[in-house]
Amino acid sequence: MELKTLNEIEIISAPHSKISEVDFENLTFGNVFTDHMLVCDYVDGAWQKPVIEPYAPFMIDPSAKVFHYGQAIFEGMKAYKDQQDDVWLFRPDENYHRFNKSATRMAMPEVPEDVFLGGLHRLLEIEKEWVKKGKGNTLYIRPFMIATGHGVIAAPSQEYRFMIILSPARAYYSGEVKVIIAEHYSRAANGGIGAAKAAGNYSAQFYPTKLANEQGFQQIIWTDDATHTKLEEAGTMNVFFRINDTLYTAPTSERILDGVTRKSVIELAQRENIKIEVRPVLVEEIVEAAKNGSLKEIFGAGTAAVINPIVGFSFQDHYYELPKLENSMALEIKEKLTNIQYKLSEDTFGWTVKI
Amino acid sequence: MELKTLNEIEIISAPHSKISEVDFENLTFGNVFTDHMLVCDYVDGAWQKPVIEPYAPFMIDPSAKVFHYGQAIFEGMKAYKDQQDDVWLFRPDENYHRFNKSATRMAMPEVPEDVFLGGLHRLLEIEKEWVKKGKGNTLYIRPFMIATGHGVIAAPSQEYRFMIILSPARAYYSGEVKVIIAEHYSRAANGGIGAAKAAGNYSAQFYPTKLANEQGFQQIIWTDDATHTKLEEAGTMNVFFRINDTLYTAPTSERILDGVTRKSVIELAQRENIKIEVRPVLVEEIVEAAKNGSLKEIFGAGTAAVINPIVGFSFQDHYYELPKLENSMALEIKEKLTNIQYKLSEDTFGWTVKI
């Protein structure tokens, strides 16, 4: 796949760059943004000409539907710089297609490929100094679309704004991650919007996550809302369980996001002859495996966090500590995946796309 | 309950009123707003001084969490004018308390009573010309709170904006309302945010509702997401079913909004010796009752729509038409309820509050 630069784009350059003011060694995730952003409005049933302009606040009506009805979707992607100073994206077509699937589920218009991918390409050309060399350094990419149409009737907006903003980033989570398995709260309904990267899916998790944080857990592993017996995802990450030498992860569904890192982990494991099974994973089998010592690892997989080892989990007020391993599959897969992303090893999959 | 005017409030008057440009006979719901709005920001862990200022767009950062994570809640209320030109609210304390319950579930700060109710009182004093006399005329009130804090990390915002905007309104729905019973899509999860007036609950319904609209149905009656056997709510209305001479409505739950109109209908029915049962209502019993002729009425109840008679429903591709009645309980209850709201009959409940 090749990204084409969009020609039909207006560029308004920032009068000066903020880059010299940024401490790239001490970045908090998602707090610093680059000099420019892409803006494209949907008006009168059509996408208008995209504009790359200085990153800045913008005007919006108090009755905009995004404020009242949460009609908003997003994607998370990253750009990486290799040793030759070339900038690369990782499977951008996956994010593009998922974005438009989310759009359909949220009754929003699809964004054309030349606006999403072509516009991103052009924006990254302009901001390539913001992508720093060296493993662990990335430029986090946040494409999103909001309903800007006016009026408080509960119906889809007639107007939308698509934007891409960029934020230099290092690790998403720092320190050990302990999780709690959801026994009461839920992330998604059957027939709901759990599989979409819809804004409302995320704020719905804030309160239960706050309660988990107060108990000393950083994240929640969500379970199915009807029975709380099946392990699903962690809200910003899909989840993998290693029992003996086999990895298990839940199949995607209407409740579970079809994660790009998740599918890359599966394909990578298959290439490396790591046994992996995609099937429903029950809470009780993980508890049993933790008790009998066959549960070796749990890890999350997502764009922001990449691969995030989990050190233990709580269920029914009991904390299960995971063993400290010499040969962690999580770290092995993370190494192989990030080597591909940073062009340090051969990309046999054709996942990486040069800017 | 008495509303106190908030003294600690800054007022910036609009240079001229738009009211003469508004055609009050031909209003589309929620499209026209009054001259002023209330704005109150939450910064550094505290609510700042509220301001009443001209209704206008405002500046917001592209990384504001409301855009990315849907951290936003709202309420729907109405003001009514009686024959003496006094303006009245209907059970505003119920909306105020529910707003703060929603805030807690969405990990947002509670709004103080003097900001929400005191600020609303002051705003309505200024905008009282926008409340028109005559049954059917109302001023729709939209208090809402959005997460304005910057940064794309998926965590609760540190900054918020509370606003109240006002829109003169007549009926919410016009024409006959036919509904479809949800068999695949769902509105809310067990342990989810269905009971909160959270923004994301509404956009989640847009796509399934669009599909229903295309089939000729205006609304969906949602069912429980796990089994689709229990009738829950209609998204912007709670739902009542009349079988023979008894009304049935589902109990509130984590999935069902605790509607102010719903609870008023229940209390009014009890006063009027109308038999009413609050218990789970099964799809199969409504289908059976429709078949044997004992299903007399279905109606929705909500602030925007008040009482909305439903003329028929579809389930499993079969359409069940409801009978046209001489003595509709829906219309009887609507009459009694709106007479209280417009001060045309005695308010034995103490529901109405004068501005």
Side-chain angles (χ1 to χ4, degrees), chain B residues 14 55 75 85 90 99 154 160 174 192 203 214-215 233 320 341:
Chain B
Y55 182 98
E75 273 298 325
D85 277 331
F90 183 73
F99 189 80
Y160 297 90
S174 54
S203 52
E214 286 164 8
Q215 292 179 268
E233 60 153 282
Y320 300 86
Q341 291 169 334

Side-chain angles (χ1 to χ4, degrees), chain B residues 166-222:
Chain B
L166 306 173
S167 176
R170 292 182 60 87
Y172 189 80
Y173 296 106
S174 54
E176 291 193 334
V177 174
K178 295 177 185 174
V179 297
I180 190 163
I181 293 176
E183 295 171 55
H184 172 74
Y185 291 107
S186 303
R187 179 184 169 275
N190 295 296
I193 59 170
K197 262 187 117 63
N201 284 334
Y202 294 80
S203 52
Q205 302 175 54
F206 288 170
Y207 178 70
T209 303
K210 192 170 80 167
L211 298 181
N213 293 164
E214 286 164 8
Q215 292 179 268
F217 302 96
Q218 286 70 45
Q219 289 280 302
I220 296 168
I221 297 186
W222 297 106

Side-chain angles (χ1 to χ4, degrees), chain B residues 79-91:
Chain B
Y80 309 86
K81 193 168 258 178
D82 69 12
Q83 292 304 307
Q84 288 72 47
D85 277 331
D86 285 322
V87 174
W88 297 82
L89 291 172
F90 183 73
R91 308 187 82 173

Side-chain angles (χ1 to χ4, degrees), chain A residues 61 69 184 186 190 203 254, chain B residues 55 61 69 184 186 190 203 254:
Chain A
D61 197 80
Y69 304 121
H184 172 75
S186 303
N190 295 297
S203 52
E254 282 180 324
Chain B
Y55 182 98
D61 197 80
Y69 304 121
H184 172 74
S186 303
N190 295 296
S203 52
E254 283 180 323

